[in-house]
Every structure is written in C-alpha cells, then in structure tokens.
Amino acid sequence: YVRVAGVDATNRSLNFDPKTPPVYNVVMKNARFYLVNALSELDSDGEYYVDRAEQVLYFQPPGGKLAATDSVVLSNLTTVISATGGVGVHLEGLQVQFGSGMNVEW
C-alpha cells in the first residue's frame, strides 16, 4: 500500500508519503486506485473505518442497522489457538472464528 500524505484539491492530485513509495517508485498516469480505511468512503454495508488516533471504529452494518439481538465482534488476534509443538492435541466439535489470520496454528 502507498499512504497518501495529502490531497491537493486545486489540481486534483494526491501527495504520497515518501515512507511508503509505490512499486518501482512510479505511479502510472491514469492508473486505477482504491482507498483503504477512508471515512469519506464509508458508504456500503460491511465497510468500516478505524480512527487509530481517537481509537474509534466506524462500521456500516449489513442492512444499514443492527437489531437488538445482533452482536458485533471485533478481534485483533491473528491466531486464536496456538498449539505449535503440541503433541497429542485433539480438538473436536470446536468452532473457532474471528481471527484475522489462520485462527488455529499447529
């Protein structure tokens, strides 16, 4: 990813953060791009924005709103269960979810 350091509205251009240069240090003219983690682009079900400075999560739920019985789960775990080097470990009937990586690491 290439971080945007700023937007120049007068000439409709993006200023890139030099700490995250584009591949081969070139952005091709008329190249396609998409934004990641931009509050202004939060307009579709399932999208979210993380404001790290304020520690706030903005979330557009499926269907536009949550019912009283719905729950939202936020996990920053890449691995939920780690059994690296384990011997004789047997898991049965266990549902593991919400990890951002492999969930179970053997």
Side-chain angles (χ1 to χ4, degrees):
Y1 296 106
V2 178
R3 289 186 184 268
V4 174
V7 177
D8 187 339
T10 57
N11 66 4
R12 300 177 61 186
S13 65
L14 300 174
N15 301 316
F16 298 116
D17 182 344
K19 295 177 189 164
T20 57
V23 177
Y24 307 117
N25 290 322
V26 175
V27 176
M28 296 170 56
K29 184 174 181 166
N30 299 321
R32 295 179 182 179
F33 66 92
Y34 63 94
L35 298 176
V36 177
N37 202 40
L39 183 57
S40 62
E41 299 303 309
L42 187 64
D43 60 1
S44 296
D45 292 355
E47 292 183 342
Y48 62 91
Y49 168 75
V50 180
D51 184 335
R52 288 179 173 80
E54 297 298 320
Q55 297 183 335
V56 174
L57 171 69
Y58 296 87
F59 172 62
Q60 179 68 36
K65 62 182 178 178
L66 295 173
T69 57
D70 290 339
S71 62
V72 175
V73 177
L74 177 64
S75 172
N76 64 353
L77 297 172
T78 53
T79 303
V80 178
I81 297 174
S82 178
T84 305
V87 177
V89 177
H90 178 78
L91 303 175
E92 186 175 328
L94 179 66
Q95 186 179 35
V96 180
Q97 357 179 33
F98 308 122
S100 62
M102 299 266 306
N103 284 325
V104 178
E105 197 175 85
W106 296 103

